[in-house]
Amino acid sequence: MKRRDFLKNAAVFVSGASVSLGALELLDPRQLLAANPELRWGFLVNTHNCVGCGFCVKACKVENDIPLEANVTRTWVERYVITKDGDVVMDTPKGALNGFTSKLIDQNQSGMKQVDDEEIAQAFFVPKLCNHCDTPACVQVCPVGATYQTKDGTVLVDRKWCIGCGYCIMGCPYGVRFFHPVEHVADKCTFCYHRISNGGNTACAQACPFGARQIGNLRDPNDPVAKAVMNQRVGVLRDEYGTKPQVFYIGLNKEVR
Amino acid sequence: MKGHVWRPLLVVIGLVIIILVARMFYVPEDFGAQDRGYTFGYHRLSNEQEWKDYPAKYQDSEYCSGCHDDKTEELNAAQHGMIPCENCHGAAFDHPDDPEKLTIDRSRDLCLRCHSELYMPSSGRNDIPGVNPEEHNAGLECVECHNSHNPSLEEM
């Protein structure tokens, strides 16, 4: 290869590579706000307020006809206990359908573990749900166009169109998708699309007594969620995947995965 | 070209035409790349409306206040005022038509969701007075002693 060709190719490669890196750029809510003036649903979780009562999980299951005893759920709450030695102990019994009533932390095969109060440095709850990403990995992998994103940003599944191949369940970095035990199709949180589109609140946010969950319009500068996302220190889960999640967390720790 | 080339070729062409015709009837008209383009918006548009029409189960506490205003007033003035009625009584659906009555959950588990004592120093759980379920009057329902709508210890 000639020296000139090498330099040319190198220049092309580097500029090409920087473009794809640019696509992974951190999401700036202000940019989003300017880009589309209408409606983009977003969600705000304040982990400080969550007490782990699990009423959100129960409300979600009842509202969306997910069998209560089935081992799947559209939203769940995780408990994190971080010891003074830096160990992280985490569990979510039945997705917190019945809340957290015991100090015993379920460690699956290794049984129940109890951390003494004096050993605990930090302990808190983190509610999880679909992030309704701006560039959802689960939608990209659907081979039949059964899962998609609406204009207002929610990611939905067409139950008549889904063939149950499970690609989206594997594709989601957050593990929020599952196989519906009754409908036999892929299922996920819809942000209670039937409620929010008709002027209501999501079942989980309405059930939360402490305001730990809020849904709002990220395009409306007067919306409390949009304001908090803009003005407060919020974090998102697994930013490095480039999916641009739209569920924002106040009080996120690096231990939360 | 010879027949042994044409014959299978015709079969293939025939198959392709049959599949294309079948597809024309099978794929609904509103199926296609919508607002979010081919990558994220390739779907049947009418499914959005189907999801919007999904039946809601939960009303809200304001709905209850229309008929149970005494309970609403009592609750709102008390320490439990922030808990929505339907958290404890279940989703309203079309109550009072269907179901006529909502459930009354007197189980200890209901209260222990919030009041079981855990040490959670970086969360709101620590601000709620907790009891040890094994020690605090085990075997008795909480509501035998406490008023669930107004749990004030002074008014016990």
Side-chain angles (χ1 to χ4, degrees), chain B residues 87-108:
Chain B
N87 280 8
C88 299
H89 293 292
F93 291 89
D94 286 327
H95 169 74
D97 296 333
D98 176 31
E100 274 175 30
K101 289 186 176 190
L102 291 187
T103 46
I104 293 181
D105 181 358
R106 292 193 178 85
S107 72
R108 287 170 70 89

Side-chain angles (χ1 to χ4, degrees), chain A residues 18 42 62 72 91 97 109 129 131 139 151 171 200 202 215 237:
Chain A
S18 59
V62 172
V72 291
D91 77 339
L97 173 64
Q109 294 96 325
L129 70 162
N131 286 286
V139 172
K151 197 175 166 186
T202 70
I215 184 131
L237 294 169

Side-chain angles (χ1 to χ4, degrees), chain A residues 53 65 101 148-149 206, chain B residues 36 47 54 59 113 116 125:
Chain A
C53 65
D65 297 307
T101 52
Y148 60 93
Q149 189 171 45
Q206 182 174 302
Chain B
R36 294 288 281 117
N47 184 243
Y54 198 80
Q59 308 284 344
R113 279 171 176 260
S116 175
R125 180 67 169 246

Side-chain angles (χ1 to χ4, degrees), chain A residues 21-157:
Chain A
L21 277 181
L24 291 175
E25 204 184 15
L26 281 190
L27 164 90
D28 183 351
R30 265 159 296 223
Q31 254 176 352
L32 263 178
L33 200 72
N36 182 343
E38 294 151 45
L39 174 63
R40 205 307 174 193
W41 295 110
F43 206 88
L44 183 68
V45 177
N46 188 338
T47 59
H48 299 292
N49 290 355
C50 181
V51 305
C53 65
F55 280 128
C56 51
V57 180
K58 182 183 161 208
C60 173
K61 283 200 152 187
V62 172
E63 177 71 30
N64 295 297
D65 297 307
I66 312 295
L68 282 181
E69 286 316 311
N71 197 17
V72 291
T73 176
R74 289 181 175 191
T75 185
W76 67 97
V77 182
E78 294 171 353
R79 159 168 61 182
Y80 286 83
V81 174
I82 303 171
T83 68
K84 288 178 179 159
D85 297 335
D87 289 342
V88 182
V89 196
M90 186 273 242
D91 77 339
T92 171
K94 286 189 179 173
L97 173 64
N98 301 314
F100 293 85
T101 52
S102 165
K103 289 194 174 192
L104 298 176
I105 305 173
D106 192 348
Q107 295 298 291
N108 302 322
Q109 294 96 325
S110 33
M112 293 296 200
K113 179 167 178 171
Q114 182 165 351
V115 182
D116 290 337
D117 289 357
E118 304 81 55
E119 292 291 307
I120 296 178
Q122 289 188 28
F124 52 88
F125 300 102
V126 181
K128 295 270 183 85
L129 70 162
C130 171
N131 286 286
H132 293 269
C133 304
D134 237 23
T135 53
C138 56
V139 172
Q140 273 169 310
V141 299
C142 179
V144 295
T147 185
Y148 60 93
Q149 189 171 45
T150 61
K151 197 175 166 186
D152 47 20
T154 43
V155 176
L156 303 176
V157 180

Side-chain angles (χ1 to χ4, degrees), chain B residues 103-120:
Chain B
T103 46
I104 293 181
D105 181 358
R106 292 193 178 85
S107 72
R108 287 170 70 89
D109 289 342
L110 176 72
C111 314
L112 291 174
R113 279 171 176 260
C114 295
H115 286 293
S116 175
E117 190 168 36
L118 304 176
Y119 182 62
M120 304 293 288

